[in-house]
Amino acid sequence: MFFTYLRRELRRRRKAALVVASGLALGIALVIVVNSVSSGMNRAQDKVLESLYGLGTDMTVTKAAAPPGEGETTRRPRFEFDAQDNDDTAEQARDLVMVQGFETLASSTVAQVGKQDGVGDAVGGLSVRVMKVNGQFRRGEAAPAQPRQGGPGGGTGGGAGEVQGGGAAFDVDSYTAYGTDVTQQDLGPLTSSKITSGRTFKATETNAKVVVLDSAYAKEKSLGVGKTLTISKTPYQVIGIATADSGDAAANVYLPLTQAQSLAGAKDKVTTVYVQAKDSQQIDAVKQTIQKNISGTTVTTSADLADTVSGSLSTASDLASGVGKWLSILVLVAAFLVAGLLTSSAVSRRVRDFGTLKALGWKSGRVTRQVAGEALANGLFGGALGIALGLAGAWLITTFSPTLTAQLGGGGGGAGGGGRMFGAAQAGQGGPGATSRALDIALTAPVSLTTIGLAVALAVAGGLVAGGFGGWRASRLRPADALRRVE
């Protein structure tokens, strides 16, 4: 009897039912789209942070920035060339290998960090910049002496000629290199790239003269697996080519940590300690522990680094998490209220029906359940329609994939390509060539099962809210009210 009456009433009042269901569907669809876009924003930001940090990295530890003006004289690149008096055509070439940011930590800091409570793993790395200068000096030549008139005695003499020509012509090439601990390659920037040719480092190559090149840099310099890259007069064999998963690569050149320390004159030094927490929910607590127990360091988490990401990605993320969510909540609340009011209004137009049913013996509870059942059916239909609309909206966003730009305030670029300043730049320190970079990220709108479950819950809740309004109104009707409506 319940379902028979329910089916008949929904069919007889299908226009009103469609209006109620459409209102709920609009609110539910908006919630799905906003949640899926917000998830897409989080994925996009994760890609940006992975390109800066490396997969699996929760935080980095760097040396605290020195006070302004302190140690400035040691931060100036200095090139020295040998005199070549006997050969004007001799080419001068020098490689200057500098630690990025000019700030380092003792290698023992890695072990200290690894012993702190909550730290799952820690690995050190050294980021350096290589500046290569080559060219030659050209000796000037004295111009022929010009005759000049003598004095009162009528004599003549030759004047000294001016030096003409000469000078210097030098090319400057700059690129970034990263010294990685080849015995622990699960953390650090190299993990954000994939080996597309050759191989990665072996655990035994702690001091081997081998390098892995970023694919863009290798293409620019026409280098491949098996070729040789010379750094500061030391030949290194290219064993692999790595391609960044997203955005620019972490460095142009990757080499064993010991070799990077030797080239930069930074024995037993690292610029950054990459840390993985045992529990991702305790990152802030681990950060405080490290800062408390290891003085002179700056700890930067992925949340801190996310604050440096600006551009359209940041703006869209703020809109999705702020304005979008509040808008979806307001629309949903409005949809619930409208559904409740429409159901209550429908009950008022059915006074004769419900009064007659009560006169025939229906209890108030049975009438209430009947109205609530109709409202719940409308809510479920609206939920199904809203899920369909929400999935369609998320599919359209993913299909067209609008491009968002992430402006990275901590990037470092050089003439050699899209290098990145680790540690120092992330901690807010500057360095040679420090500059902001932009990454283009394609937006997606993934819909999770949790979002679908939320939509179903909202549909049921909307039906219950509407049923509550209507059922309360129906329960107050009396059979006498129906008699007054009989014509």
Side-chain angles (χ1 to χ4, degrees), residues 196-239:
T196 53
S197 179
R199 62 175 178 85
T200 188
F201 300 103
K202 297 179 180 178
T204 56
E205 295 176 325
T206 56
N207 197 28
K209 292 180 173 58
V210 292
V211 293
V212 172
L213 301 183
D214 170 56
S215 57
Y217 183 75
K219 182 178 180 180
E220 178 187 346
K221 300 301 180 183
S222 300
L223 294 172
V225 176
K227 295 289 186 67
T228 299
L229 174 69
T230 301
I231 306 176
S232 193
K233 298 182 180 180
T234 302
Y236 288 85
Q237 182 184 6
V238 179
I239 61 172

Side-chain angles (χ1 to χ4, degrees), residues 394-450:
W395 177 81
L396 287 174
I397 293 174
T398 303
T399 300
F400 289 99
S401 297
T403 300
L404 300 177
T405 300
Q407 195 73 25
L408 308 178
R420 188 169 291 108
M421 296 189 67
F422 304 112
Q426 295 168 355
Q429 304 171 25
T435 180
S436 62
R437 295 184 304 105
L439 291 180
D440 290 333
I441 303 294
L443 177 64
T444 60
V447 180
S448 64
L449 292 177
T450 302

